[in-house]
Amino acid sequence: MNKYIILIILMALPSVVWGSLGVNEAEMVSYPGGKCYIFRLKLTDKKNTPYRLDKPSDFLSQRAIDRRKKQHLAIDSTDLPISPSYLSTIARCEKIQIVGKSKWNNSVLIKCNHQNNAYKLLKLPFVRNLVQVFSSPDSISSSMRSSFKKEFNRWDTIPDSKYGVAVNQITSLSGDRLHSMGYRGKGKVIAVLDAGFMNVDRIPALHQIKIAGIDDFVVPKSENIFAESDHGTMVLSLMATDMPGTFIGTAPDASYMLLRCEDTRTESLAEEDYWAEAVEYADSAGVDIINSSLGYHDFDDSSTNHKYYEMDGLTTFISHTASMLADKGIVLVNSAGNDGMGTWKKLNFPADARNIITVGSITPTGDNAAFSAVGPTADGRIKPDVMAYGSPAVVISGRGTIVDDMGTSFSAPLISGMVACLWQALSDKTAKEIINIVIHSGNNIHPDNVYGYGVPDFQKAYSSGKR
């Protein structure tokens, strides 16, 4: 993932950059368990499985099944878990550890200490191919939980404004108007995919958040996702905070599933596998919306870097997975990326995915942020789709302070929360219909690949959906 903060800030304010990432000063430590490799095994089929499409309750929650039924979506072979007999055979192989899997892609992540042990798996009749997606570095930075403030500063409260310091970023979307009608995301579950949620369990302002579940898909897992990066804390605060007069997010009545799938200490293709497993978990649990303020294109091993021609929503592992979500009945909202001022300039992956909402950043004056990544996709689709505050946005940090921060990472959750409110109001709509309504409520009547369809007006979206 390109680490959230634009180049100009990186050059001018390095201490702020590290603060934004939730990384404290930390010593370097040896990689846990020593040298290792992770490979993605692509399997040939799902034969010999005990799971059946006519018995979805064996592998999907009732909420997930009901979501599909309501949107008239079929449960298909991609939903079937990977064949247990294949997993058992792989697990019995010498010096091989299964560390992840993707049923939608019929793939398995395995870890080993020597590459030759992985290549031996090609002899198994059900293994189609394998790709190395991770090689451990010699050392990594140790993570440390930061201290936090229990109270905000007195100047953070704006008595004349219900939304406090967050007023401009929500009124720019007409989100306050949906809230005034009673639509604040109640009944909707939003999965937040991120790198960590520093002190969410301790900061008093976040105690009222309805947490539906937590999980970690990074290898190795963290001992505590609330002691990792505060990027997820800031993202979550934009949606879930409910402190009248100080800070109200875009969906304070929604429930949230906190899923860690980004490893801030390394950058590898394996993180796309972690992301895929996280969204499949979210689907199985029955979430309605996924906020992904993550994106990838270059890695520690530069030979695995993505290319522009891959930006078609189907070619890369992560974007292919993302493009499946709407057909499962889920709205994915993904940040566009912050490479507009760099050499790459384009969207990160999976922001190129199909049937999602890709979000870029604007300034308070409504101009596109210079760092906000641009389209089009390789197959000519307009991207980003919509824009929202992000240069800056007001967030709550992992230190329990209200700060301004920069990045499309913060534009996406503003939209995610409003999607929850809109979908609560338009409960009969499908994921694809909600995506279309939101995009076409934008204020740019001549859509382009810098500003997309513009800033969505959720009051307009609501009125359009009611017709």
Side-chain angles (χ1 to χ4, degrees), residues 27 47 69 73 97 124 157 302 419 424 434:
E27 62 180 8
K47 291 179 180 177
K69 285 181 178 178
L73 298 170
Q97 179 186 1
L124 297 174
T157 297
S302 60
V419 167
Q424 177 193 0
I434 289 291

Side-chain angles (χ1 to χ4, degrees), residues 143-328:
S143 60
M144 298 169 58
R145 179 179 275 219
S146 70
S147 58
F148 69 98
K149 292 181 63 176
K150 291 185 177 181
E151 297 179 352
F152 295 129
N153 296 316
R154 64 180 182 278
W155 53 81
D156 288 326
T157 297
I158 305 178
D160 296 334
S161 171
K162 177 180 179 181
Y163 289 91
V165 293
V167 61
N168 292 331
Q169 57 202 31
I170 191 166
T171 56
S172 68
L173 302 168
S174 295
D176 56 321
R177 300 182 70 178
L178 259 64
H179 284 191
S180 68
M181 298 166 64
Y183 302 121
R184 301 190 348 142
K186 186 176 182 179
K188 294 299 177 184
V189 181
I190 303 174
V192 186
L193 274 59
D194 223 291
F197 302 89
M198 178 74 73
N199 289 330
V200 165
D201 59 334
R202 292 181 174 179
I203 297 170
L206 305 179
H207 282 175
Q208 91 294 338
I209 295 174
K210 303 173 187 67
I211 297 179
I214 62 173
D215 214 323
D216 188 352
F217 301 89
V218 176
V219 180
K221 295 181 186 295
S222 171
E223 293 182 2
N224 184 0
I225 66 170
F226 299 121
E228 296 292 339
S229 164
D230 79 337
H231 187 261
T233 307
M234 294 188 283
V235 166
L236 179 65
S237 72
L238 285 158
M239 298 178 279
T241 307
D242 192 11
M243 293 193 68
T246 301
F247 195 121
I248 295 180
T250 50
D253 289 348
S255 297
Y256 294 87
M257 186 167 288
L258 311 183
L259 305 180
R260 178 175 178 256
C261 62
E262 156 69 15
D263 185 354
T264 58
R265 301 171 299 180
T266 63
E267 196 75 354
S268 72
L269 285 171
E271 290 177 281
E272 298 192 14
D273 295 83
Y274 306 156
W275 190 95
E277 188 166 15
V279 300
E280 291 177 25
Y281 176 87
D283 164 60
S284 297
V287 306
D288 304 291
I289 298 150
I290 293 175
N291 183 89
S292 169
S293 291
L294 302 172
Y296 305 89
H297 76 264
D298 60 353
F299 302 100
D300 295 339
D301 178 358
S302 60
S303 69
T304 63
N305 288 356
H306 289 316
K307 307 296 190 295
Y308 293 120
Y309 72 83
E310 297 178 289
M311 198 178 294
D312 60 1
L314 297 174
T315 298
T316 65
F317 186 86
I318 193 169
S319 297
H320 174 265
T321 306
S323 293
M324 299 174 72
L325 280 164
D327 287 322
K328 309 295 185 184

